[in-house]
Structures are given as C-alpha cells and as structure tokens.
Amino acid sequence: MAGLSANTELLRKILVGFVQDEVHKVGVKKAVLGLSGGIDSALVAFIAAEALGAENVHAICMPYKTSNPESEAHARLVAQACGVDFTLVPITPMVDAYFGMFPDASNMRRGNKMARERMTILFDHSAHYSALVLGTSNKTELLLGYGTLYGDMASALNPIGDLYKTQIWQLSEAMGVPNEVIEKKPSADLWAGQTDEEELGFSYRQVDELLYRMVDLRLTREELISAGFGPEFIDTIYKKVQNSHFKRRLPVIAKVSNRTIDRDFRYSRDWGK
Amino acid sequence: MDFTAVLAQIKPKLGCVADNLALIEERIEQAKAAKADLVIFPELALTGYFLKDLVPEVARRLDSPEIARLLELSRGISIAVGFVEATDDYRFFNSALYLEDGVIKHLHRKVYLPTYGLFDEQRYLARGERFRAFDTKFGRMGLLICEDMWHLSSSYILAMDGAATLLCLSSSPGRGVEGESLASAASWQKLTATTALFLNCRVLYCNRVGYEDGVNFWGGSEYIAPSGESIIRARLLEEDSVSARLEEGALRRERIFSPMLRDENLFVTLQELRRIERERGL
C-alpha cells in the first residue's frame, strides 16, 4: 500500500527539523526520553540525537523487576549506537512500595502505575536537565488507545505520533536503529513473554492497513469491506478508536464564561515562539 | 523591462510582529545589497500563520508604524509582503501589499480563506472580494495569497486584467510523505507551472518555512517562466533566498510562440458565465 510506504529521507528531514525547531524555539537545548529497549523509543533517540546533538539527549531506562532483561540490554545498545547519554533508574522500589498497600491490584493497575511512575521520572529529569520530554507513542497505538493516559502518552513533543508502526519500522531501518531492536516482537514488557500483537489480537501490519484506509483515506465501512477487511475487525477497531478518544483530548472543562480554555480561548502552543 | 526578483523564504515567529519586522528588514537590506529590484515575502510574513485568537492583536492598520517603515524601505526596492490588516470597521484581513517608491501600489485581501482539514482561516478572518491587476515599474502584476491560487478563476481574472507577472505569497503546510517528493510541494509545483503555462504568465511563488505546533511549512519558493518551466527553486524546509532574473524578451517570445492568451475569448467566457448565473438564479 503506497500510503504506508514512507519516503524515509523526507520523513527524516521533517522529523529532525521538528525536534530541532520546537526544542530550540522555547529556549532549550536538550531533550530527555524514556528508552525501553523497543523500537519506538529507539527511533526517537536517533531522531533527537541527529536534531540536537547526541550530547544533548538524555535517555533514561526504567525497568521493573519483571521487565525482560533483554530490554535493558537493547536500550543500552541503542544509546551506544546513537551516542546519547544513558541513565538507569529502576522503578521496582517505588512501584512495590505503593502496591504493598494494595496487594490485590490487577495487572492493568500495575501496568498503568509503572507507566506513570516512569512519566514522573522523565518530567523530574526534564527539570533537572532543562530538557523537554520527548514522546514515543506512534499513531497506531495513539489511535487504538494502547497506552496509559498521563503515563507513556505524556510528553512535551512527539516526533513519531503521526507515523504508523509500519512506517516506524521503515524509518528505523533507514536511520540505523540496531537490527535486534527492529526485528523483535513489539512488547509493552509488563511481564516476560508479553507481546502487543498477542494482547491486541491482530498484527500491526493488519491494523495499520485498516487504520490508514479508515482514518487517512476516510473510506466508508462498505468500501473497507469490499477492500477485503472483515466487518467484525472493522467494527472492533472503530470502537477502539472511538472509546479511546478521551485519551487524545485535554480534560473536559465545564463552560460557564464567554472564553473557555480551548473552546473559545484559542491560541497555538507556539504562541510568541 | 527586465528585473531581478528575490524570494525571501523566511521563518516568521508566531505572533511576534516586531521580531518579524526586523527579519523582513534584514532580508530587504540583503536584497538591496544584491541589487535586486523586487523582494517578495510569504503570506503573513509579519505575523506567522496559526494565529487563531491572536488575529486582532497582531493586525495592523495601513497607517501603522510597521507599514510606514516598510513604505520607507520601498524607496530603494519594491516589496511584496503579507500581514494581517485591521480596518476602521474592525474587520481583519489576510492581506498582501505591493509597495514601490514609498507608495502602496496595491492591497490584496485574500479571497479564498481555507476552512477545511488543518485550516481554519474564515473563523478568524474576513474575506476579500476582488482580484485586480496593477501597474508597477516592472509591468502589470497580480497578487494572490496561497489558497487564492487553487481557484482557477483568480489567476484567470488577473491575466485577463493584464497581469503578466503573478505573485503568490504562501504559508503552505507540508504533508504527504508517501511519494518521491512531499505531496503538498508536488501539487503546488503542478499548479504554479500549469498556471504559468495556461496564461503565458510568470509566476513568482514565495512560501515560508519553520514549524508551528508541529506543522511544517515546506518552502520551495520558485520562479516559473511563462513557458511553465521552473527556473529556480529554493530549498525544501530550510530558510533560503533565491534570486531570479525576469526578462521581458522571454515573455515576448513565449507570447508569440504560444499565443493562447491572445486567443482567449473573454466574450464567450462572460456570456457563458452570465448564462450560468441566470440559470442558477444567483
């Protein structure tokens, strides 16, 4: 599908320029990001290193005791390959201290807590280094809502949020992300052996083909069915996008005045920049 | 008359009129030093693009100090520049000025304000209502602002009104990374080249660069000869400045070689448009 096959040279230029421009215009030189050992954060590290200079990028790896040890090894490998600064901040003590009070908490609560724990560490380092936090969520997971609100979805700038996973693979290859990282199965790494595709119930390639036609090309349900997508798959994905929309919006404000923030008080974030 | 035009591909700061004026002045001085006759800036060069509720704050009246300063600078070089215009009745227009020898030769108010996709201009801005060609030291010209050019009638009217040079001031966001080149750049290049070719006109297209809230502006400012041939094109996505020599001889030769404009039948066009107007009950 032409739409999912990106011109990586052009994409690289736009995204590197984006990080450079949007970081520098707020009077900052540095960026900080969480490096999980997965492909999305690896790609962001490569983009940031090229945009800001590797010495201005701080990557923080924040494993929990159940994280796959291979993830940390891959994170180190990525940091080495693109030359960014690497710090290890394990989150086991904080997370375990909290769940000591709630021993019956579900896996979902634990996963969300870990994601938010990591977020607080990144924003703390943002203040420490005078650096902006770079987001590492891709378009596929943002659309599906496969992320934690105020956790891994939180950032100041996200260079890859308009790239489907399929395009992440292409650009990562073009930018020299290590092969081990590109080739392994995507995982939220909450427990050993977990993979995104198993948890979601479909492959990224399948869902990207559908999302691209549904969201970008705005094909109707009938057109999607004639293009070969199963009605059940279409409806499941449509519902996922709809039900996770709250995660992509700011909190809802009850309107009482003439100028309510974001409704009739409208300014770009780059106001004055 | 032969003349040299500079396309100043700048990166304005959003909502910072003083900073942008300084940037514009700097580019004017550079163009003057290079002995150019005309310098062209992008749409909303004085203000930046995604202004939203900033529109009334950054809008300037024609008698404002900023416009007075630009008029003063136009004594050494002709200037085409985009800004937000405030009128006495408190309307705000996405406007462009052509300044020459300390005089406003022409004011164009953007007619087609896009309000679709990522655009929302008509929410904040008032709509212009005319396309008029105007005389300059370098012949008769027409001004267009970005979306104006996507309506065939705009360039057509200006050409019928005698414009041999079309200036298009633009803030075009880059999108579409599937193909060999940026999709929005490729569409614009087709559009400007085809317009020049159809109307045997020169097109001077000036687009900005930089990012606003993650949206990139792709640059690629360009001079297209009346043959439709791209003569010079500025860099993609980077600040730049390119200079083009526009020769009267090339225009003359093209109009002899492909006299479509001479053969254009304004009478038939008007007759049919009037019929359509009648039939639609406008």
Side-chain angles (χ1 to χ4, degrees), chain A residues 2-3 5 7 10 13-14 17-18 21-22 25 259 264-273, chain B residues 11 14 16 50 52-54 123-124 177-180 182 211-214 216 236-238:
Chain A
S5 130
N7 176 335
L10 187 59
K13 195 172 169 73
I14 292 174
F18 162 78
D21 196 85
E22 298 280 8
K25 78 163 59 150
R259 289 194 85 195
D264 27 38
F265 175 85
R266 300 182 181 210
Y267 297 88
S268 291
R269 204 172 83 167
D270 285 346
W271 179 3
K273 302 284 191 289
Chain B
K11 181 169 84 173
L14 186 60
C16 305
F50 287 107
K52 305 188 186 190
D53 283 353
L54 275 177
R123 177 184 166 89
Y124 305 99
V177 292
E178 298 87 9
E180 264 182 49
L182 192 65
Y211 293 75
E212 286 181 4
D213 279 18
N216 71 80
L236 202 69
L237 298 159
E238 289 170 39

mmCIF file of all heavy atoms in Angstrom, chain A residues 2-3 5 7 10 13-14 17-18 21-22 25 259 264-273, chain B residues 11 14 16 50 52-54 123-124 177-180 182 211-214 216 236-238:
data_model
loop_
_atom_site.group_PDB
_atom_site.id
_atom_site.type_symbol
_atom_site.label_atom_id
_atom_site.label_comp_id
_atom_site.label_asym_id
_atom_site.label_seq_id
_atom_site.Cartn_x
_atom_site.Cartn_y
_atom_site.Cartn_z
ATOM 1 N N ALA A 2 0.757 2.076 -1.019
ATOM 2 C CA ALA A 2 1.628 3.239 -1.181
ATOM 3 C C ALA A 2 1.562 4.148 0.041
ATOM 4 O O ALA A 2 2.572 4.673 0.492
ATOM 5 C CB ALA A 2 1.217 4.012 -2.423
ATOM 6 N N GLY A 3 0.378 4.295 0.610
ATOM 7 C CA GLY A 3 0.183 5.219 1.719
ATOM 8 C C GLY A 3 0.976 4.876 2.961
ATOM 9 O O GLY A 3 1.304 5.755 3.749
ATOM 10 N N SER A 5 3.862 3.215 2.785
ATOM 11 C CA SER A 5 5.276 3.138 2.482
ATOM 12 C C SER A 5 5.808 4.562 2.377
ATOM 13 O O SER A 5 5.477 5.314 1.481
ATOM 14 C CB SER A 5 5.457 2.336 1.186
ATOM 15 O OG SER A 5 6.267 3.023 0.296
ATOM 16 N N ASN A 7 8.453 7.848 2.351
ATOM 17 C CA ASN A 7 9.713 8.347 1.825
ATOM 18 C C ASN A 7 10.567 8.683 3.049
ATOM 19 O O ASN A 7 10.413 9.729 3.675
ATOM 20 C CB ASN A 7 9.426 9.589 0.975
ATOM 21 C CG ASN A 7 10.678 10.249 0.449
ATOM 22 O OD1 ASN A 7 11.752 10.115 1.012
ATOM 23 N ND2 ASN A 7 10.534 10.984 -0.636
ATOM 24 N N LEU A 10 12.678 12.004 3.333
ATOM 25 C CA LEU A 10 11.856 13.178 3.573
ATOM 26 C C LEU A 10 11.341 13.205 5.010
ATOM 27 O O LEU A 10 11.383 14.232 5.701
ATOM 28 C CB LEU A 10 10.687 13.127 2.583
ATOM 29 C CG LEU A 10 9.755 14.298 2.492
ATOM 30 C CD1 LEU A 10 10.515 15.549 2.115
ATOM 31 C CD2 LEU A 10 8.680 14.006 1.439
ATOM 32 N N LYS A 13 14.002 14.206 7.423
ATOM 33 C CA LYS A 13 14.266 15.647 7.368
ATOM 34 C C LYS A 13 13.190 16.425 8.152
ATOM 35 O O LYS A 13 13.500 17.326 8.926
ATOM 36 C CB LYS A 13 14.297 16.095 5.903
ATOM 37 C CG LYS A 13 14.909 17.464 5.697
ATOM 38 C CD LYS A 13 15.084 17.742 4.207
ATOM 39 C CE LYS A 13 15.430 19.187 3.925
ATOM 40 N NZ LYS A 13 16.772 19.603 4.262
ATOM 41 N N ILE A 14 11.937 16.043 7.940
ATOM 42 C CA ILE A 14 10.836 16.747 8.611
ATOM 43 C C ILE A 14 10.898 16.527 10.123
ATOM 44 O O ILE A 14 10.763 17.469 10.903
ATOM 45 C CB ILE A 14 9.467 16.280 8.056
ATOM 46 C CG1 ILE A 14 9.295 16.733 6.602
ATOM 47 C CG2 ILE A 14 8.314 16.815 8.913
ATOM 48 C CD1 ILE A 14 8.044 16.196 5.919
ATOM 49 N N GLY A 17 13.993 18.141 11.772
ATOM 50 C CA GLY A 17 13.728 19.592 11.780
ATOM 51 C C GLY A 17 12.713 19.962 12.841
ATOM 52 O O GLY A 17 12.852 20.980 13.525
ATOM 53 N N PHE A 18 11.719 19.121 13.008
ATOM 54 C CA PHE A 18 10.671 19.365 14.011
ATOM 55 C C PHE A 18 11.277 19.417 15.418
ATOM 56 O O PHE A 18 11.042 20.346 16.185
ATOM 57 C CB PHE A 18 9.606 18.251 13.913
ATOM 58 C CG PHE A 18 8.724 18.118 15.124
ATOM 59 C CD1 PHE A 18 7.678 19.008 15.339
ATOM 60 C CD2 PHE A 18 8.929 17.100 16.048
ATOM 61 C CE1 PHE A 18 6.859 18.884 16.463
ATOM 62 C CE2 PHE A 18 8.121 16.968 17.171
ATOM 63 C CZ PHE A 18 7.077 17.867 17.375
ATOM 64 N N ASP A 21 13.591 22.523 15.782
ATOM 65 C CA ASP A 21 12.864 23.788 15.806
ATOM 66 C C ASP A 21 12.043 23.938 17.090
ATOM 67 O O ASP A 21 12.103 24.962 17.769
ATOM 68 C CB ASP A 21 11.948 23.837 14.587
ATOM 69 C CG ASP A 21 11.439 25.237 14.307
ATOM 70 O OD1 ASP A 21 12.171 25.981 13.638
ATOM 71 O OD2 ASP A 21 10.334 25.581 14.758
ATOM 72 N N GLU A 22 11.291 22.905 17.419
ATOM 73 C CA GLU A 22 10.364 23.033 18.547
ATOM 74 C C GLU A 22 11.102 23.035 19.895
ATOM 75 O O GLU A 22 10.613 23.618 20.854
ATOM 76 C CB GLU A 22 9.294 21.925 18.514
ATOM 77 C CG GLU A 22 8.402 21.955 17.259
ATOM 78 C CD GLU A 22 7.266 22.999 17.300
ATOM 79 O OE1 GLU A 22 7.235 23.820 18.224
ATOM 80 O OE2 GLU A 22 6.425 22.982 16.379
ATOM 81 N N LYS A 25 13.144 26.651 19.934
ATOM 82 C CA LYS A 25 12.343 27.878 19.997
ATOM 83 C C LYS A 25 11.811 28.182 21.395
ATOM 84 O O LYS A 25 11.415 29.306 21.653
ATOM 85 C CB LYS A 25 11.232 27.855 18.941
ATOM 86 C CG LYS A 25 10.041 27.013 19.269
ATOM 87 C CD LYS A 25 8.826 27.345 18.395
ATOM 88 C CE LYS A 25 9.041 27.169 16.919
ATOM 89 N NZ LYS A 25 7.811 26.795 16.206
ATOM 90 N N ARG A 259 -15.225 32.962 27.411
ATOM 91 C CA ARG A 259 -13.982 32.451 26.839
ATOM 92 C C ARG A 259 -13.448 31.314 27.690
ATOM 93 O O ARG A 259 -12.787 31.528 28.703
ATOM 94 C CB ARG A 259 -12.934 33.558 26.690
ATOM 95 C CG ARG A 259 -13.290 34.538 25.592
ATOM 96 C CD ARG A 259 -12.109 35.412 25.241
ATOM 97 N NE ARG A 259 -11.219 34.786 24.274
ATOM 98 C CZ ARG A 259 -9.976 35.225 24.029
ATOM 99 N NH1 ARG A 259 -9.476 36.225 24.712
ATOM 100 N NH2 ARG A 259 -9.241 34.634 23.106
ATOM 101 N N ASP A 264 -13.278 28.658 23.215
ATOM 102 C CA ASP A 264 -13.276 29.969 22.566
ATOM 103 C C ASP A 264 -12.152 30.852 23.087
ATOM 104 O O ASP A 264 -12.163 32.055 22.923
ATOM 105 C CB ASP A 264 -14.641 30.670 22.639
ATOM 106 C CG ASP A 264 -15.439 30.233 23.846
ATOM 107 O OD1 ASP A 264 -14.799 30.042 24.894
ATOM 108 O OD2 ASP A 264 -16.665 30.076 23.739
ATOM 109 N N PHE A 265 -11.177 30.232 23.699
ATOM 110 C CA PHE A 265 -9.888 30.854 24.033
ATOM 111 C C PHE A 265 -8.877 29.975 23.307
ATOM 112 O O PHE A 265 -8.520 28.905 23.777
ATOM 113 C CB PHE A 265 -9.670 30.821 25.547
ATOM 114 C CG PHE A 265 -8.324 31.323 26.001
ATOM 115 C CD1 PHE A 265 -8.095 32.681 26.197
ATOM 116 C CD2 PHE A 265 -7.288 30.433 26.262
ATOM 117 C CE1 PHE A 265 -6.855 33.134 26.637
ATOM 118 C CE2 PHE A 265 -6.045 30.888 26.689
ATOM 119 C CZ PHE A 265 -5.836 32.244 26.883
ATOM 120 N N ARG A 266 -8.519 30.431 22.095
ATOM 121 C CA ARG A 266 -7.752 29.550 21.205
ATOM 122 C C ARG A 266 -6.431 30.179 20.785
ATOM 123 O O ARG A 266 -6.434 31.202 20.100
ATOM 124 C CB ARG A 266 -8.562 29.271 19.933
ATOM 125 C CG ARG A 266 -9.873 28.608 20.172
ATOM 126 C CD ARG A 266 -10.529 28.351 18.850
ATOM 127 N NE ARG A 266 -11.821 27.725 19.050
ATOM 128 C CZ ARG A 266 -12.373 26.888 18.189
ATOM 129 N NH1 ARG A 266 -11.759 26.598 17.065
ATOM 130 N NH2 ARG A 266 -13.541 26.365 18.442
ATOM 131 N N TYR A 267 -5.372 29.565 21.170
ATOM 132 C CA TYR A 267 -4.043 30.008 20.743
ATOM 133 C C TYR A 267 -3.210 28.764 20.435
ATOM 134 O O TYR A 267 -3.397 27.728 21.058
ATOM 135 C CB TYR A 267 -3.350 30.818 21.850
ATOM 136 C CG TYR A 267 -4.081 32.103 22.187
ATOM 137 C CD1 TYR A 267 -5.094 32.118 23.135
ATOM 138 C CD2 TYR A 267 -3.768 33.293 21.531
ATOM 139 C CE1 TYR A 267 -5.786 33.289 23.432
ATOM 140 C CE2 TYR A 267 -4.449 34.466 21.816
ATOM 141 C CZ TYR A 267 -5.460 34.458 22.769
ATOM 142 O OH TYR A 267 -6.145 35.604 23.047
ATOM 143 N N SER A 268 -2.284 28.927 19.499
ATOM 144 C CA SER A 268 -1.354 27.832 19.239
ATOM 145 C C SER A 268 -0.430 27.689 20.440
ATOM 146 O O SER A 268 -0.219 28.656 21.175
ATOM 147 C CB SER A 268 -0.510 28.141 18.000
ATOM 148 O OG SER A 268 -1.303 28.100 16.853
ATOM 149 N N ARG A 269 0.129 26.514 20.620
ATOM 150 C CA ARG A 269 1.068 26.364 21.735
ATOM 151 C C ARG A 269 2.345 27.162 21.459
ATOM 152 O O ARG A 269 3.004 27.611 22.377
ATOM 153 C CB ARG A 269 1.396 24.893 21.972
ATOM 154 C CG ARG A 269 1.853 24.704 23.408
ATOM 155 C CD ARG A 269 2.017 23.265 23.756
ATOM 156 N NE ARG A 269 3.301 22.752 23.324
ATOM 157 C CZ ARG A 269 3.776 21.593 23.735
ATOM 158 N NH1 ARG A 269 3.064 20.856 24.566
ATOM 159 N NH2 ARG A 269 4.944 21.168 23.320
ATOM 160 N N ASP A 270 2.661 27.334 20.190
ATOM 161 C CA ASP A 270 3.871 28.079 19.836
ATOM 162 C C ASP A 270 3.648 29.594 19.840
ATOM 163 O O ASP A 270 4.444 30.331 19.251
ATOM 164 C CB ASP A 270 4.387 27.621 18.466
ATOM 165 C CG ASP A 270 5.066 26.268 18.547
ATOM 166 O OD1 ASP A 270 5.368 25.836 19.676
ATOM 167 O OD2 ASP A 270 5.280 25.632 17.499
ATOM 168 N N TRP A 271 2.607 30.046 20.469
ATOM 169 C CA TRP A 271 2.289 31.461 20.654
ATOM 170 C C TRP A 271 3.531 32.231 21.137
ATOM 171 O O TRP A 271 4.066 31.937 22.189
ATOM 172 C CB TRP A 271 1.177 31.512 21.702
ATOM 173 C CG TRP A 271 0.654 32.840 22.106
ATOM 174 C CD1 TRP A 271 0.998 34.071 21.624
ATOM 175 C CD2 TRP A 271 -0.347 33.077 23.116
ATOM 176 N NE1 TRP A 271 0.263 35.040 22.259
ATOM 177 C CE2 TRP A 271 -0.557 34.469 23.179
ATOM 178 C CE3 TRP A 271 -1.075 32.242 23.966
ATOM 179 C CZ2 TRP A 271 -1.468 35.048 24.057
ATOM 180 C CZ3 TRP A 271 -1.984 32.821 24.838
ATOM 181 C CH2 TRP A 271 -2.174 34.201 24.882
ATOM 182 N N GLY A 272 3.974 33.175 20.325
ATOM 183 C CA GLY A 272 5.118 34.003 20.721
ATOM 184 C C GLY A 272 6.472 33.322 20.557
ATOM 185 O O GLY A 272 7.482 33.814 21.032
ATOM 186 N N LYS A 273 6.477 32.192 19.816
ATOM 187 C CA LYS A 273 7.743 31.452 19.675
ATOM 188 C C LYS A 273 8.224 31.448 18.224
ATOM 189 O O LYS A 273 7.506 31.144 17.344
ATOM 190 C CB LYS A 273 7.558 30.002 20.119
ATOM 191 C CG LYS A 273 7.084 29.869 21.556
ATOM 192 C CD LYS A 273 8.225 30.123 22.512
ATOM 193 C CE LYS A 273 7.908 29.753 23.952
ATOM 194 N NZ LYS A 273 6.955 30.631 24.607
ATOM 195 N N LYS B 11 11.345 32.365 8.096
ATOM 196 C CA LYS B 11 10.696 31.583 9.144
ATOM 197 C C LYS B 11 10.174 32.564 10.185
ATOM 198 O O LYS B 11 10.878 32.886 11.142
ATOM 199 C CB LYS B 11 11.753 30.639 9.745
ATOM 200 C CG LYS B 11 11.262 29.735 10.821
ATOM 201 C CD LYS B 11 12.277 28.671 11.166
ATOM 202 C CE LYS B 11 13.313 29.141 12.154
ATOM 203 N NZ LYS B 11 14.202 28.069 12.623
ATOM 204 N N LEU B 14 5.693 33.126 15.531
ATOM 205 C CA LEU B 14 4.238 33.217 15.660
ATOM 206 C C LEU B 14 3.809 34.331 16.618
ATOM 207 O O LEU B 14 4.066 34.257 17.827
ATOM 208 C CB LEU B 14 3.681 31.869 16.137
ATOM 209 C CG LEU B 14 2.156 31.760 16.187
ATOM 210 C CD1 LEU B 14 1.539 31.976 14.815
ATOM 211 C CD2 LEU B 14 1.740 30.418 16.753
ATOM 212 N N CYS B 16 4.855 37.462 16.728
ATOM 213 C CA CYS B 16 5.897 38.413 17.132
ATOM 214 C C CYS B 16 6.147 39.431 16.022
ATOM 215 O O CYS B 16 7.101 39.287 15.246
ATOM 216 C CB CYS B 16 7.189 37.678 17.471
ATOM 217 S SG CYS B 16 6.967 36.413 18.726
ATOM 218 N N PHE B 50 -0.583 30.236 12.198
ATOM 219 C CA PHE B 50 -1.699 29.712 13.013
ATOM 220 C C PHE B 50 -2.007 30.664 14.175
ATOM 221 O O PHE B 50 -1.759 30.367 15.343
ATOM 222 C CB PHE B 50 -1.393 28.296 13.526
ATOM 223 C CG PHE B 50 -1.479 27.245 12.454
ATOM 224 C CD1 PHE B 50 -0.342 26.652 11.938
ATOM 225 C CD2 PHE B 50 -2.717 26.864 11.941
ATOM 226 C CE1 PHE B 50 -0.415 25.682 10.940
ATOM 227 C CE2 PHE B 50 -2.809 25.894 10.946
ATOM 228 C CZ PHE B 50 -1.655 25.307 10.437
ATOM 229 N N LYS B 52 -4.997 32.132 15.158
ATOM 230 C CA LYS B 52 -6.232 31.928 15.928
ATOM 231 C C LYS B 52 -6.643 33.227 16.616
ATOM 232 O O LYS B 52 -6.757 34.256 15.969
ATOM 233 C CB LYS B 52 -6.051 30.787 16.936
ATOM 234 C CG LYS B 52 -5.579 29.496 16.279
ATOM 235 C CD LYS B 52 -5.618 28.365 17.275
ATOM 236 C CE LYS B 52 -5.019 27.111 16.664
ATOM 237 N NZ LYS B 52 -5.257 25.957 17.500
ATOM 238 N N ASP B 53 -6.811 33.189 17.957
ATOM 239 C CA ASP B 53 -7.300 34.370 18.679
ATOM 240 C C ASP B 53 -6.286 35.517 18.747
ATOM 241 O O ASP B 53 -6.583 36.581 19.271
ATOM 242 C CB ASP B 53 -7.735 33.976 20.096
ATOM 243 C CG ASP B 53 -9.100 33.289 20.102
ATOM 244 O OD1 ASP B 53 -9.740 33.244 19.035
ATOM 245 O OD2 ASP B 53 -9.526 32.807 21.167
ATOM 246 N N LEU B 54 -5.091 35.288 18.210
ATOM 247 C CA LEU B 54 -4.103 36.372 18.175
ATOM 248 C C LEU B 54 -4.398 37.372 17.067
ATOM 249 O O LEU B 54 -3.814 38.464 17.049
ATOM 250 C CB LEU B 54 -2.709 35.797 17.913
ATOM 251 C CG LEU B 54 -1.901 35.287 19.085
ATOM 252 C CD1 LEU B 54 -0.582 34.704 18.574
ATOM 253 C CD2 LEU B 54 -1.604 36.429 20.045
ATOM 254 N N ARG B 123 -12.757 31.377 10.284
ATOM 255 C CA ARG B 123 -13.242 31.595 11.641
ATOM 256 C C ARG B 123 -12.725 32.922 12.196
ATOM 257 O O ARG B 123 -13.386 33.580 12.984
ATOM 258 C CB ARG B 123 -12.778 30.448 12.539
ATOM 259 C CG ARG B 123 -13.184 30.629 13.973
ATOM 260 C CD ARG B 123 -12.632 29.541 14.876
ATOM 261 N NE ARG B 123 -12.776 29.966 16.250
ATOM 262 C CZ ARG B 123 -13.851 29.728 16.988
ATOM 263 N NH1 ARG B 123 -14.841 29.050 16.491
ATOM 264 N NH2 ARG B 123 -13.935 30.178 18.227
ATOM 265 N N TYR B 124 -11.505 33.270 11.782
ATOM 266 C CA TYR B 124 -10.833 34.415 12.405
ATOM 267 C C TYR B 124 -10.729 35.642 11.493
ATOM 268 O O TYR B 124 -10.467 36.735 11.967
ATOM 269 C CB TYR B 124 -9.418 34.009 12.847
ATOM 270 C CG TYR B 124 -9.408 32.805 13.759
ATOM 271 C CD1 TYR B 124 -9.131 31.518 13.274
ATOM 272 C CD2 TYR B 124 -9.716 32.939 15.108
ATOM 273 C CE1 TYR B 124 -9.145 30.413 14.120
ATOM 274 C CE2 TYR B 124 -9.728 31.838 15.955
ATOM 275 C CZ TYR B 124 -9.446 30.578 15.447
ATOM 276 O OH TYR B 124 -9.465 29.491 16.281
ATOM 277 N N VAL B 177 3.924 12.091 2.846
ATOM 278 C CA VAL B 177 5.318 11.667 2.725
ATOM 279 C C VAL B 177 5.448 10.320 2.015
ATOM 280 O O VAL B 177 6.440 9.637 2.158
ATOM 281 C CB VAL B 177 6.000 11.572 4.118
ATOM 282 C CG1 VAL B 177 6.163 12.941 4.724
ATOM 283 C CG2 VAL B 177 5.208 10.661 5.048
ATOM 284 N N GLU B 178 4.408 9.967 1.235
ATOM 285 C CA GLU B 178 4.429 8.650 0.606
ATOM 286 C C GLU B 178 5.289 8.605 -0.653
ATOM 287 O O GLU B 178 5.917 7.608 -0.945
ATOM 288 C CB GLU B 178 3.004 8.205 0.220
ATOM 289 C CG GLU B 178 2.051 8.052 1.387
ATOM 290 C CD GLU B 178 1.350 9.360 1.745
ATOM 291 O OE1 GLU B 178 1.481 10.335 0.981
ATOM 292 O OE2 GLU B 178 0.688 9.407 2.796
ATOM 293 N N GLY B 179 5.279 9.679 -1.401
ATOM 294 C CA GLY B 179 5.878 9.643 -2.731
ATOM 295 C C GLY B 179 7.332 10.073 -2.771
ATOM 296 O O GLY B 179 7.995 10.199 -1.738
ATOM 297 N N GLU B 180 7.809 10.315 -3.998
ATOM 298 C CA GLU B 180 9.194 10.716 -4.192
ATOM 299 C C GLU B 180 9.467 12.085 -3.597
ATOM 300 O O GLU B 180 10.556 12.381 -3.135
ATOM 301 C CB GLU B 180 9.520 10.733 -5.685
ATOM 302 C CG GLU B 180 10.172 9.447 -6.131
ATOM 303 C CD GLU B 180 10.528 9.485 -7.589
ATOM 304 O OE1 GLU B 180 11.135 10.475 -8.035
ATOM 305 O OE2 GLU B 180 10.172 8.520 -8.288
ATOM 306 N N LEU B 182 7.500 15.564 -1.360
ATOM 307 C CA LEU B 182 6.421 15.932 -0.455
ATOM 308 C C LEU B 182 5.154 16.191 -1.270
ATOM 309 O O LEU B 182 5.180 16.962 -2.232
ATOM 310 C CB LEU B 182 6.858 17.192 0.293
ATOM 311 C CG LEU B 182 6.053 17.642 1.484
ATOM 312 C CD1 LEU B 182 6.127 16.621 2.616
ATOM 313 C CD2 LEU B 182 6.588 18.977 1.987
ATOM 314 N N TYR B 211 8.239 25.642 11.721
ATOM 315 C CA TYR B 211 7.199 24.769 12.286
ATOM 316 C C TYR B 211 6.308 25.599 13.213
ATOM 317 O O TYR B 211 6.811 26.476 13.914
ATOM 318 C CB TYR B 211 7.818 23.650 13.118
ATOM 319 C CG TYR B 211 8.624 22.640 12.327
ATOM 320 C CD1 TYR B 211 9.893 22.955 11.854
ATOM 321 C CD2 TYR B 211 8.123 21.365 12.072
ATOM 322 C CE1 TYR B 211 10.645 22.030 11.140
ATOM 323 C CE2 TYR B 211 8.865 20.433 11.366
ATOM 324 C CZ TYR B 211 10.126 20.765 10.900
ATOM 325 O OH TYR B 211 10.867 19.843 10.201
ATOM 326 N N GLU B 212 5.032 25.326 13.204
ATOM 327 C CA GLU B 212 4.132 25.904 14.214
ATOM 328 C C GLU B 212 3.295 24.757 14.775
ATOM 329 O O GLU B 212 2.540 24.122 14.032
ATOM 330 C CB GLU B 212 3.226 26.977 13.592
ATOM 331 C CG GLU B 212 3.955 28.280 13.285
ATOM 332 C CD GLU B 212 3.057 29.357 12.696
ATOM 333 O OE1 GLU B 212 1.828 29.143 12.586
ATOM 334 O OE2 GLU B 212 3.592 30.413 12.321
ATOM 335 N N ASP B 213 3.416 24.496 16.055
ATOM 336 C CA ASP B 213 2.690 23.405 16.707
ATOM 337 C C ASP B 213 2.801 22.101 15.915
ATOM 338 O O ASP B 213 1.805 21.397 15.700
ATOM 339 C CB ASP B 213 1.208 23.772 16.895
ATOM 340 C CG ASP B 213 0.997 24.654 18.124
ATOM 341 O OD1 ASP B 213 1.983 25.235 18.602
ATOM 342 O OD2 ASP B 213 -0.150 24.757 18.598
ATOM 343 N N GLY B 214 3.999 21.793 15.474
ATOM 344 C CA GLY B 214 4.240 20.519 14.791
ATOM 345 C C GLY B 214 3.963 20.526 13.303
ATOM 346 O O GLY B 214 4.313 19.579 12.606
ATOM 347 N N ASN B 216 4.803 21.630 9.641
ATOM 348 C CA ASN B 216 5.945 22.212 8.928
ATOM 349 C C ASN B 216 5.469 22.999 7.718
ATOM 350 O O ASN B 216 4.439 22.685 7.121
ATOM 351 C CB ASN B 216 6.932 21.123 8.497
ATOM 352 C CG ASN B 216 6.388 20.261 7.375
ATOM 353 O OD1 ASN B 216 6.412 20.643 6.196
ATOM 354 N ND2 ASN B 216 5.861 19.094 7.725
ATOM 355 N N LEU B 236 13.995 22.978 0.177
ATOM 356 C CA LEU B 236 12.837 22.426 0.869
ATOM 357 C C LEU B 236 13.077 22.527 2.384
ATOM 358 O O LEU B 236 14.154 22.162 2.865
ATOM 359 C CB LEU B 236 12.689 20.953 0.460
ATOM 360 C CG LEU B 236 11.319 20.311 0.611
ATOM 361 C CD1 LEU B 236 10.354 20.902 -0.404
ATOM 362 C CD2 LEU B 236 11.422 18.809 0.428
ATOM 363 N N LEU B 237 12.108 23.071 3.113
ATOM 364 C CA LEU B 237 12.089 23.052 4.583
ATOM 365 C C LEU B 237 13.189 23.860 5.279
ATOM 366 O O LEU B 237 13.341 23.772 6.486
ATOM 367 C CB LEU B 237 12.143 21.604 5.110
ATOM 368 C CG LEU B 237 10.978 20.699 4.730
ATOM 369 C CD1 LEU B 237 11.377 19.233 4.849
ATOM 370 C CD2 LEU B 237 9.758 20.974 5.599
ATOM 371 N N GLU B 238 13.961 24.626 4.517
ATOM 372 C CA GLU B 238 15.029 25.402 5.147
ATOM 373 C C GLU B 238 14.935 26.856 4.745
ATOM 374 O O GLU B 238 14.499 27.164 3.637
ATOM 375 C CB GLU B 238 16.404 24.868 4.701
ATOM 376 C CG GLU B 238 16.745 23.524 5.279
ATOM 377 C CD GLU B 238 17.983 22.924 4.625
ATOM 378 O OE1 GLU B 238 18.931 23.673 4.336
ATOM 379 O OE2 GLU B 238 17.969 21.703 4.394
#
